[in-house]
């Protein structure tokens, strides 16, 4: 197993760690930032999430740079991304920082695009990540971090950053999903005819 795949696996193993620190009430203390109180475990979870999100770009870069792109890596990388985002969204719903319908919209889009990619592979077509898809990932990560930190540091100036970036993530997620289906409509219509 090459280095890129090991980094991807590490990201998968970080998923339950993020959930553990977000959802289990450890008695590690609190940090008061203006009117918002964060637990130390929430801050740790946020840093671990950011670390895991950064490894997404790192493993792909290393695989391409060192010509280490493998079938296992092509399978594990999107799986790790979806697990990380899905686990964080579900945790935020449990923490009552995110409405369930928003998590459902984002997760549904991920399932739909995964299904489309599976159909494409069966037809011998590879669907590459689009610029909109990459923007979707960035907006989701920023929104999740803002929600994990309960809008800190923007809460001190009463600026609803986490709310704005969450709406942006939802909009970009939906648009990028529609874009994938529109650009690959021939694949969908081919399977419909069979």
């Amino acid at each position: 197993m090459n280095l890129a795949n090991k980094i991807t696996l590490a990201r998968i193993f970080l998923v339950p760690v993020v959930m553990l620190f977000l959802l289990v009430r450890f008695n590690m203390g609190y940090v008061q930032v203006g009117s918002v109180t964060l637990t130390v475990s929430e801050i740790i979870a946020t840093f671990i999430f950011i670390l895991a999100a950064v490894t997404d770009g790192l493993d792909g870069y290393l695989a391409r740079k060192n010509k280490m792109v493998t079938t296992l890596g092509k399978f594990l990388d999107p799986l790790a991304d979806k697990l990380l985002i899905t686990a964080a969204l579900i945790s935020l719903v449990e923490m009552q920082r995110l409405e369930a319908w928003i998590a459902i919209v984002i997760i549904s889009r991920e399932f739909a695009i995964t299904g489309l990619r599976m159909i494409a592979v069966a037809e011998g077509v590879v669907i590459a990540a689009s610029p909109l898809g990459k923007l979707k990932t960035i907006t989701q990560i920023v929104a999740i971090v803002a929600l994990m930190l309960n809008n800190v540091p923007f809460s001190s100036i009463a600026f609803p950053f986490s709310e704005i970036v969450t709406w942006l993530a939802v909009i970009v997620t939906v648009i990028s999903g529609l874009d994938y289906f529109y650009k690959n409509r021939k694949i969908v219509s081919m399977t419909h005819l069979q």
Side-chain angles (χ1 to χ4, degrees), residues 32-49:
Q32 188 74 32
V33 183
S35 61
V36 177
T37 304
L38 293 172
T39 66
V40 171
S41 61
E42 287 171 343
I43 295 169
I44 292 170
T46 305
F47 280 116
I48 295 170
F49 177 83

Side-chain angles (χ1 to χ4, degrees), residues 154-181:
F154 300 99
S155 55
S156 59
I157 57 170
F159 180 68
F161 178 77
S162 61
E163 189 176 329
I164 292 167
V165 79
T166 299
W167 275 104
L168 180 63
V170 171
I171 292 165
V172 174
T173 295
V174 170
I175 291 171
S176 72
L178 293 173
D179 180 62
Y180 272 108
F181 274 95

Side-chain angles (χ1 to χ4, degrees), residues 105-176:
V105 166
I106 293 173
I107 294 167
S108 297
R109 182 263 186 211
E110 300 305 329
F111 275 109
I113 299 305
T114 299
L116 177 63
R117 282 198 162 114
M118 290 172 70
I119 292 168
V121 167
E123 298 295 327
V125 178
V126 175
I127 299 176
S130 72
L132 263 177
K134 291 175 182 173
L135 178 62
K136 176 265 315 176
T137 301
I138 292 167
T139 58
Q140 287 178 0
I141 290 168
V142 172
I144 288 168
V145 169
L147 291 166
M148 283 181 174
L149 292 176
N150 208 6
N151 202 41
V152 169
F154 300 99
S155 55
S156 59
I157 57 170
F159 180 68
F161 178 77
S162 61
E163 189 176 329
I164 292 167
V165 79
T166 299
W167 275 104
L168 180 63
V170 171
I171 292 165
V172 174
T173 295
V174 170
I175 291 171
S176 72

Side-chain angles (χ1 to χ4, degrees), residues 19 22 49 83-93 144 148:
M19 292 186 77
L22 276 181
F49 177 83
L83 286 173
L84 182 65
I85 296 295
T86 301
L89 292 172
I90 291 169
S91 298
L92 289 166
V93 170
I144 288 168
M148 283 181 174

